[in-house]
């Protein structure tokens, strides 16, 4: 099995060195960059399986801006780090497409667990044959969701780019159509992590998914908010034939 490569972008040399040594012992090939320019050079040289990116830098660089730049050019899984514990930071990170968020200081084992979870979710589903199985393709309102290839196509047959969390959220809702899912149930389904019950991350993801589905008709909403309960996928999807 090929060694997975991780790039850590943080201005703290001691932290980068510590994390690099720890992850190397765990079997990962790890590199680090202290600023955005070094990050861009590293990404241009070799492909990485995951990026760990700090939220703030002392030289005026902004981790959010760097993360947005990463998302416009790469679909590499992204874990954000921050010394702040504010919920708004988590929401912003999710809005720009981060796959996870961890606050400093953190236990190395917790970081390792997050990395393994994100990499596992991002791992492509092995194709059993050249043509995907019919049950892996779900149709709804002209949309086509390919569970095997993790792809979504619009009624105009245009590919819609989804982050890992957006794909898992949509798949979880579609496969449980007509059933109201609470935020905690959705978190367990798509992330298998223990987040605080007041975490608004699911609301943020729902909003992003609605925009990509053009789901702005409140009278016939595909993903409906059930006040005080959660969310429900209102259509009756069917497998492709």
């Amino acid at each position: 099995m090929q060694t997975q490569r991780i790039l850590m972008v943080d201005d703290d040399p001691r932290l980068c060195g510590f994390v690099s040594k720890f992850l190397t012992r765990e079997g990962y090939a790890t590199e680090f960059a202290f600023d955005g320019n070094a990050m861009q050079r590293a990404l241009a040289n070799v492909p990485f399986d995951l990026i760990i990116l700090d939220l703030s830098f002392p030289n005026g660089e902004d981790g959010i801006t760097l993360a947005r730049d990463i998302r416009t050019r790469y679909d590499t899984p992204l874990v954000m780090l921050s010394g702040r514990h504010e919920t708004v930071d988590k929401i912003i990170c999710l809005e720009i497409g981060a796959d996870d968020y961890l606050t400093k200081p953190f236990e190395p084992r917790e970081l390792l667990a997050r990395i393994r979870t994100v990499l596992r979710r991002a791992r492509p589903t092995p194709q059993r044959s050249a043509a995907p199985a019919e049950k892996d393709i779900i149709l709804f309102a002209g949309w086509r969701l390919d569970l095997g290839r993790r792809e979504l196509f619009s009624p105009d047959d245009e590919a819609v780019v989804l982050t890992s969390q957006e794909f898992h959220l949509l798949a979880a809702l579609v496969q449980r159509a007509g059933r109201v899912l609470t935020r905690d149930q959705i978190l367990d389904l798509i992330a298998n992590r223990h987040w605080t019950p007041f975490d608004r991350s699911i609301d943020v993801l729902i909003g992003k998914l609605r925009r990509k589905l053009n789901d702005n008709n409140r009278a016939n909403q595909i993903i409906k908010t059930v006040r005080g309960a959660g969310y429900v996928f209102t259509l009756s999807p069917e497998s492709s034939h």
Side-chain angles (χ1 to χ4, degrees), residues 179-207:
R179 173 183 165 189
V180 178
L181 298 177
T182 67
R183 290 169 178 80
D184 286 343
Q185 287 174 324
I186 294 173
L187 282 170
D188 288 339
L189 287 168
I190 72 170
N192 193 27
R193 283 181 281 150
H194 299 290
W195 292 11
T196 64
F198 302 105
D199 197 329
R200 290 180 52 207
S201 56
I202 291 302
D203 302 322
V204 173
L205 284 173
I206 289 287

Side-chain angles (χ1 to χ4, degrees), residues 137-166:
I137 298 180
I138 300 177
L139 308 177
F140 59 92
W143 294 83
R144 186 169 84 253
L145 179 65
D146 190 329
L147 299 176
R149 293 194 172 101
R150 299 160 60 95
E151 295 175 336
L152 175 67
F153 294 89
S154 74
D156 296 327
D157 204 32
E158 294 182 359
V160 178
V161 178
L162 297 177
T163 66
S164 176
Q165 285 189 340
E166 289 167 359

Side-chain angles (χ1 to χ4, degrees), residues 1-7 23-24 26-31 47-50 77 112 115-124:
M1 181 177 178
Q2 186 175 2
T3 302
Q4 292 177 300
R5 302 179 63 87
I6 296 176
L7 174 65
L23 293 179
T24 298
E26 295 297 329
Y28 297 97
T30 310
E31 295 184 25
F48 288 90
D49 296 284
L50 182 138
L112 178 63
I115 288 172
R116 286 174 172 170
T117 299
V118 170
L119 287 173
R120 186 167 59 248
R121 291 202 307 266
R123 187 181 304 143

Side-chain angles (χ1 to χ4, degrees), residues 209-224:
L209 201 51
R210 281 174 173 160
R211 288 192 291 273
K212 292 187 177 182
L213 291 170
N214 299 318
D215 191 19
N216 50 17
N217 186 344
R218 291 186 177 275
N220 298 291
Q221 208 158 33
I222 297 174
I223 302 174
K224 183 179 180 180

